[in-house]
Amino acid sequence: MASLQQTLLRQISRANRRFGLIEDGDKIMVAISGGKDSWAMLHLLREYRRMVPFAFTWVAVNLDQGHPGFPVEVLRAYLEREGHEHRIVHVDTYSVVKREVPAGKAYCSLCSRLRRGILYDVAVELGCTKIALGHHRDDLIETLLLNQLYAGQLKAMAPRLRSDDGRNTIIRPLILCEERDLAAYAVEQGFPVVPCDLCGSQDNLRRVYVRQLLTRLEADNPDVRRSLLAAAGNVKPSHLLDARLQGEGDDDGEPAGASDVPLISPRLLVRT
């Protein structure tokens, strides 16, 4: 039986083969928040480097956003102990977010935009070819539903994406990894996990609602997350309403599951 680390590395390898995330000669800026996902990504990328027949390097970067009590020394000590090249960047975005976001509203949108802009600049300064973010399968699925329910868009998270300013390439090596596996791996490896108490203290986030919705759907269909992941890579443009995508269809638009024989099983698409 494969170990948890082997399972996660196999999923990273599959994502890399499909989407060309990591290439020979890359210098990757690994964005470290202190959460379980980014710690797992950093550790797994080091293990992945030992598996592949090409060379790439990385530098771990943490953005200390000025949250009161943020234990930046815990992160620094771990990175030094593990021998990772790293950079700690100090920019007080916490005060900006607290000042600009109305009471009761979610901080995440503004916080992430500020953080992203700073990290993009740091990546250029360090000469990095890629920026690795720790988003996983469940982040992609939740984002897919959030955009449909609240933004009127069919959009999820790209495994590889060129930034709007054209200076950076964003990659998500964990995009096929399950959150529960990453959580178990973090416990297994003893990572010094630091929760985000800026947004983590808000219980009215739409993402929380979507996560709860998925949990309820799983009670009826245990494969619902696997199916949604498969759907993100199995698009039928001719059966959508975007006029830019109109084309000739090859069936009557009957939804999968309504016919006796589905076109393809989501289990076959993403099973490890």
Side-chain angles (χ1 to χ4, degrees):
M1 182 177 181
S3 70
L4 189 53
Q5 178 168 286
Q6 288 173 322
T7 296
L8 293 167
L9 285 170
R10 188 164 61 245
Q11 291 164 341
I12 290 173
S13 180
R14 181 181 298 116
N16 196 38
R17 291 195 306 271
R18 290 172 63 182
F19 305 116
L21 307 182
I22 304 170
E23 299 164 298
D24 187 31
D26 271 340
K27 180 178 181 180
I28 302 172
M29 189 183 89
V30 182
I32 298 297
S33 66
K36 68 183 188 312
D37 304 321
S38 59
W39 282 134
M41 176 174 62
L42 179 63
H43 192 81
L44 288 164
L45 284 178
R46 180 165 62 184
E47 295 302 314
Y48 186 60
R49 171 62 187 86
R50 294 167 177 160
M51 295 171 50
V52 295
F54 57 87
F56 66 90
T57 59
W58 61 89
V59 53
V61 175
N62 171 257
L63 174 57
D64 177 5
Q65 297 178 262
H67 300 186
F70 181 74
V72 65
E73 291 305 321
V74 172
L75 277 68
R76 191 193 311 277
Y78 180 82
L79 291 167
E80 291 177 351
R81 185 169 67 250
E82 291 294 312
H84 292 292
E85 181 184 352
H86 64 278
R87 172 80 67 89
I88 307 291
V89 180
H90 304 274
V91 181
D92 182 9
T93 64
Y94 174 83
S95 298
V96 176
V97 171
K98 294 288 284 187
R99 182 179 68 247
E100 298 296 329
V101 177
K105 297 295 184 179
Y107 300 134
C108 295
S109 179
L110 177 58
C111 182
S112 64
R113 288 201 306 273
L114 293 172
R115 183 174 64 249
R116 186 163 59 242
I118 295 165
L119 291 176
Y120 284 4
D121 288 341
V122 173
V124 172
E125 177 189 337
L126 295 175
C128 295
T129 58
K130 308 275 178 62
I131 300 175
L133 304 180
H135 297 120
H136 46 67
R137 180 204 71 166
D138 298 87
D139 288 325
L140 181 151
I141 291 167
E142 292 163 10
T143 300
L144 177 65
L145 289 180
L146 281 165
N147 278 319
Q148 292 178 80
L149 294 173
Y150 299 108
Q153 295 179 322
L154 273 175
K155 184 174 72 172
M157 288 178 165
R160 174 173 173 151
L161 181 69
R162 194 69 175 166
S163 62
D164 291 339
D165 61 14
R167 297 185 301 160
N168 304 103
T169 297
I170 313 303
I171 61 172
R172 295 180 168 98
L174 305 181
I175 202 66
L176 300 181
C177 300
E178 297 185 27
E179 182 176 22
R180 62 185 176 185
D181 287 345
L182 294 167
Y185 188 64
V187 173
E188 179 182 290
Q189 296 294 325
F191 299 138
V193 174
V194 177
C196 176
D197 56 8
L198 176 64
C199 58
S201 61
Q202 295 176 289
D203 58 7
N204 60 340
L205 300 181
R206 287 171 173 173
R207 189 172 291 273
V208 173
Y209 171 76
V210 167
R211 193 171 297 141
Q212 293 169 343
L213 174 62
L214 285 166
T215 299
R216 291 196 295 271
L217 290 171
E218 278 184 315
D220 178 63
N221 175 16
D223 285 337
V224 69
R225 292 176 192 265
R226 188 175 293 114
S227 182
L228 285 167
L229 178 64
N234 190 20
V235 180
K236 304 295 184 185
S238 62
H239 290 73
L240 299 174
L241 299 184
D242 192 328
R244 296 167 296 181
L245 303 176
Q246 289 303 301
E248 295 297 327
D250 57 0
D251 59 32
D252 61 2
E254 186 178 23
S259 61
D260 291 333
V261 182
L263 294 177
I264 187 168
S265 168
R267 190 186 302 272
L268 295 178
L269 283 174
V270 297
R271 173 72 72 181
T272 61

